[in-house]
Amino acid sequence: MTADPSTGDAARTAVVTGAASGIGRATALRLLYEGCDVLAVDRDPAGLTDLAAEGCRTLVADLSSAQGRDRVVESAVGASLLVNSAGIIRLKPILDVCIDDLRDVYAVNVEAVWDLTSRIGRAMPPGGAIVNLSSSSAKLATTVEAAVYASSKAAVLSLTRSFAYAFAPHVRVNAICPGIIDTAMQDAVLAQVGAARGIPVAELSEARTAAVPLGRAATADECAGVIAFLLSDAAGYMTGQAINYTGGLVTW
Ligand code: NAD
């Protein structure tokens, strides 16, 4: 996947969205350290500052808008790797959800993933690879707080499979379904769910990890390792797959 001094291969260009935080950030840094030329994309300029200092190219863009996505596609010329990690969650009981809630979440979690996968993927050279961030919640019924998010992540699984077929055999497209990864998004979920249910955050966090067979959350760096594997030649015979990354919480 990376520049190989023995063969003189050029460094590969990777586009990573959601790179200002969490899994996207860890993935951008991992790919950078592996020798890729990394374009780190996010709507949050402050979160990109130190990635620029590390050596990433950075682009501030709001992926919920067509203009923002156009700017990413224009800057992605030559890319052979793409990680769609930007995502949002809005927590609300399913029967309170209105159509604008759905559109807000889908604009980032589905439209942007579809659009960037389609436009950047079709321009990739043979050997290109894409990883989309789905979620274990794509496979579970979550009527209490996260139904819109869960349905958006189920859409990511479906579009991953379809683009895998569309781009085969030249470009591979896979997804990862994380369970509990220690990031700002996870902190926000715990705070909001804890407040809604009247449960202290520490208690809620403990109850969630107690349900995980491996007994803990994962770090963003660990998750980035699996994403890097899916992008690498070691996964060269994998496309259209969704890897559970849940510590055993979800096994199907
Ligand atoms: P995070 O909140 O730490 O990072 C998400 C990043 O996406 C942020 O930097 C944010 O600014 C960016 N972003 C959001 N909307 C954007 C927009 N419109 N335009 C550009 N950038 C935007 O979240 P994370 O935990 O690192 O999650 C990364 C991905 O993994 C998400 O798609 C999330 O749904 C998925 N995921 C996370 C977990 C978890 O436990 N953390 C579990 C399952 C799936």
Side-chain angles (χ1 to χ4, degrees), residues 206-215 247-249:
E206 212 170 289
R208 297 190 80 195
T209 46
V212 176
L214 291 184
L249 185 62

Side-chain angles (χ1 to χ4, degrees), residues 48-234:
L48 293 175
T49 310
D50 60 328
L51 290 181
E54 288 289 321
C56 292
R57 289 185 292 133
T58 59
L59 178 67
V60 179
D62 180 353
L63 299 175
S64 67
S65 77
Q67 297 89 327
R69 298 194 295 267
D70 286 349
R71 295 180 50 237
V72 179
V73 173
E74 281 158 21
S75 304
V77 173
S80 59
L81 304 173
L82 168 65
V83 179
N84 284 304
S85 188
I88 57 171
I89 187 165
R90 300 264 186 273
L91 300 172
K92 210 185 239 192
I94 189 167
L95 297 182
D96 295 342
V97 167
C98 64
I99 203 69
D100 285 340
D101 297 324
L102 197 80
R103 286 183 179 138
D104 281 354
V105 172
Y106 273 49
V108 185
N109 293 10
V110 182
E111 268 187 51
V113 178
W114 181 289
D115 198 17
L116 297 185
T117 299
S118 176
R119 291 201 281 163
I120 296 176
R122 78 182 63 185
M124 283 183 179
I130 298 171
V131 175
N132 294 325
L133 270 291
S134 179
S135 166
S136 57
S137 65
K139 300 181 175 183
L140 306 169
T142 49
T143 57
V144 184
E145 283 109 1
V148 172
Y149 175 81
S151 69
S152 75
K153 294 300 182 177
V156 169
L157 290 186
S158 179
L159 71 86
T160 295
R161 293 176 186 130
S162 298
F163 278 111
Y165 270 57
F167 291 152
H170 300 304
V171 173
R172 298 181 300 103
V173 189
N174 290 294
I176 181 167
C177 298
I180 307 173
I181 315 296
D182 221 349
T183 67
M185 179 183 282
Q186 196 56 237
D187 290 345
V189 168
L190 284 171
Q192 286 178 53
V193 173
R197 296 185 193 170
I199 305 172
V201 165
E203 198 178 306
L204 184 64
S205 177
E206 212 170 289
R208 297 190 80 195
T209 46
V212 176
L214 291 184
R216 65 175 179 86
T219 66
D221 285 341
E222 288 179 296
C223 192
V226 180
I227 294 169
F229 161 72
L230 287 171
L231 294 173
S232 77
D233 293 344

Side-chain angles (χ1 to χ4, degrees), residues 8-19:
D9 285 352
R12 300 185 73 177
T13 296
V15 178
V16 182
T17 73

